[in-house]
Each structure stands twice: as structure tokens, then as C-alpha cells.
Amino acid sequence: MKTRKGIILAGGTGSRLHPLTLTVSKQLLPVYDKPMIFYPLSVLMLSGLSEILIISTPDQLPSFRALLGNGSALGIRIEYVAQPRPDGLAQAFILGREFLNGAPAALILGDNIFYGDNLQEMGQRSDGRRDAASIFAYHVAEPSQYGVVEFDADNKVISIEEKPTVPKSNFAATGLYFFPSDVPDVAAAVKPSPRGELEITSVIAHYLAQGRLHVETLGRGYAWLDTGTPESLLAAGQFIAMLEARQGLQVGCLEEISYRAGWIDAEQVAAAAARYRNSGYGTYLRSLIDG
């Protein structure tokens, strides 16, 4: 069975940031002390995925390449594909078909941040479900802004609806998805919605109809941040700053994840620490190997 591969959709789909803030990709904007792209990438890496595809606009891909390269410094493999125009989240699997090459897939949106003690365990558990899709639901105050998951009395999923006027629950489908290896074919069969997009909810509905959908509910001990607005971007930076100052631990530190997974050694961590010297991030990396 093929190893699951990850996709980060870092294009313009769904962005609500003001155009003046988007002289570079918003996923390259800092969330406190590191680029936003570090956070979704860290979620895939924590889930055990070491082959990652980054999808973004043709003009923004060079910046991602300059930042992350081919991933070898992290002990992983990173490839890139251009998205000429944002035609919906499900388009990621069509653009990524060659990269996936028959492997099951995980998709995360480039402007989503997840935090929680058991996030790694939850991601690895989802990776283990090779014949079923897994999505993650989070209780929100304004569900009409998201894809809404409806549960029955036995907590079984019975529907998912994209941005409903009258939501059937307060649980939103977050921007993290695990799908079986047939997902490119499922995405290719999706018809554009009235918004003209290939909706991810249509892909999810396919697996729901087949009885192959699992929903992980993120409870009170988790945080899910969608940084699509200037206000939410600011709030995310404040959240990360508070956590790191209080705990003395980095959130979304890619080298730490790789080091603890055995993908890189202490010498490679030291090289990264030297690269980021004179910063709190570099000091933190140095502390990992200095005990």
C-alpha cells in the first residue's frame, strides 16, 4: 500500500485579506515569528507525511521555493504545482494527480492553523484509514461562513452543506482532509457549483453517500484558526505569541518535528540554527541539541 502524500493549497481561493496586504502570498506573511505556511506544513509532518505538494499561483511559487526548497533540509520531499486560477478546493486533487500517483492524500489549506495536544495522534489515526475519508469538525459561533456538518442523535454524520443560510449545526468542516487514493477521480467528476467552483463539500458528500466518511470532532482542547481576514491574522499571531511565551515551546517548528521523527540529525538542526541565528527561532533550535 502506498504511503499517503500531502497537499497544501496555498493559492488565492477564499482569501478575504485586503488586496494591499497581498503583495506576497498571504501564506508567506508572518504569523508571529514564522511564515504562515510553516503551520499547515507542520500538521502534515506531525501526521507522518514526508512527501508534500505545494499548490499556489505561478507568480508566488518562486517565493515558496526560495523559502522551503525541495524539503531536503527537513528530511522530506517538497514539490510544487502552479494553480493558474482558483477554481475551488477540489481542484487541488486534479492538479495533484501526477504527484499523488495512486497514493491516498491529505489536503490542508495554507491559511489554516491547528493546535491541540493530541493533534499528532489524531492525524496519524486518520492516516491509518486508507479506505475512508476523514474530516475534522470544529464548533464555531457563525457556522454559515463554512461547510456545516450535521449529526444525528447518535452523533453520526448525515449531511454536509456549504455555507448554508440556515445551518443545521454549529460544527464547521475545517481545512484539513484525508482521502483515499481514488480522490482525483472523485474530484474530476465534481460539477461546478453556482459559485463556479469545484466544492470540497461535493467530494466529501461522495464518501458520505458511500458510507466511507469519518468525522473527528475537535473539542474544547483544540484551536482552529482560519486566517483569511486581517483581524483573524492578527488574532492568530497573538495566540501563537501567548503560547510560546508561556510554554517556552515553539508552535509549528518544522526542524523540531523532523528531528523528533528521525528525518534529520543533530548536525542538520545545528545548520538550521545557524541559518536562523540572532532570532528566537534559531536559539530554540540550538536548545534542542544542547539539551
Side-chain angles (χ1 to χ4, degrees), residues 90-215:
Q91 185 187 29
F93 301 110
I94 299 172
L95 295 172
R97 181 189 288 272
E98 183 177 346
F99 166 78
L100 292 171
N101 191 28
L107 170 68
I108 190 168
L109 304 189
D111 61 359
N112 275 212
I113 297 174
F114 293 83
Y115 180 81
D117 185 47
N118 292 321
L119 188 62
Q120 180 173 8
E121 177 185 336
M122 189 173 291
Q124 292 177 349
R125 187 164 63 241
S126 298
D127 178 42
R129 300 188 191 99
R130 296 305 177 90
D131 295 325
S134 295
I135 64 173
F136 300 79
Y138 190 79
H139 194 281
V140 296
E142 299 180 0
S144 60
Q145 302 299 311
Y146 307 95
V148 174
V149 181
E150 179 188 10
F151 299 90
D152 65 13
D154 297 322
N155 210 36
K156 182 179 179 181
V157 181
I158 55 177
S159 76
I160 180 166
E161 187 177 4
E162 182 68 24
K163 298 182 179 178
T165 304
V166 182
K168 296 177 181 177
S169 82
N170 281 84
F171 281 93
T174 68
L176 175 62
Y177 318 88
F178 286 70
F179 289 111
S181 58
D182 62 347
V183 67
D185 293 331
V186 175
V190 168
K191 304 299 182 184
S193 69
R195 299 194 305 165
E197 295 190 358
L198 304 178
E199 305 287 359
I200 194 70
T201 48
S202 298
V203 176
I204 296 169
H206 170 86
Y207 292 101
L208 174 60
Q210 291 191 339
R212 292 199 291 155
L213 178 66
H214 184 88
V215 178

Side-chain angles (χ1 to χ4, degrees), residues 15-100:
S15 174
R16 289 162 285 155
L17 291 178
H18 192 280
L20 289 176
T21 69
L22 294 178
T23 53
V24 297
S25 170
K26 66 176 180 176
Q27 282 80 25
L28 291 167
L29 294 174
V31 175
Y32 184 49
D33 59 352
K34 60 187 72 70
M36 186 190 300
I37 191 71
F38 276 35
Y39 299 98
L41 179 53
S42 72
V43 172
L44 296 181
M45 292 169 63
L46 283 170
S47 299
L49 279 61
S50 60
E51 295 182 73
I52 311 294
L53 176 69
I54 295 178
I55 299 175
S56 190
T57 58
D59 60 320
Q60 293 172 353
L61 277 181
S63 297
F64 286 108
R65 289 182 186 273
L67 176 66
L68 298 168
N70 63 6
S72 60
L74 297 169
I76 64 176
R77 180 167 66 91
I78 300 177
E79 295 186 15
Y80 302 86
V81 164
Q83 182 187 37
R85 65 181 211 179
D87 287 332
L89 304 187
Q91 185 187 29
F93 301 110
I94 299 172
L95 295 172
R97 181 189 288 272
E98 183 177 346
F99 166 78
L100 292 171

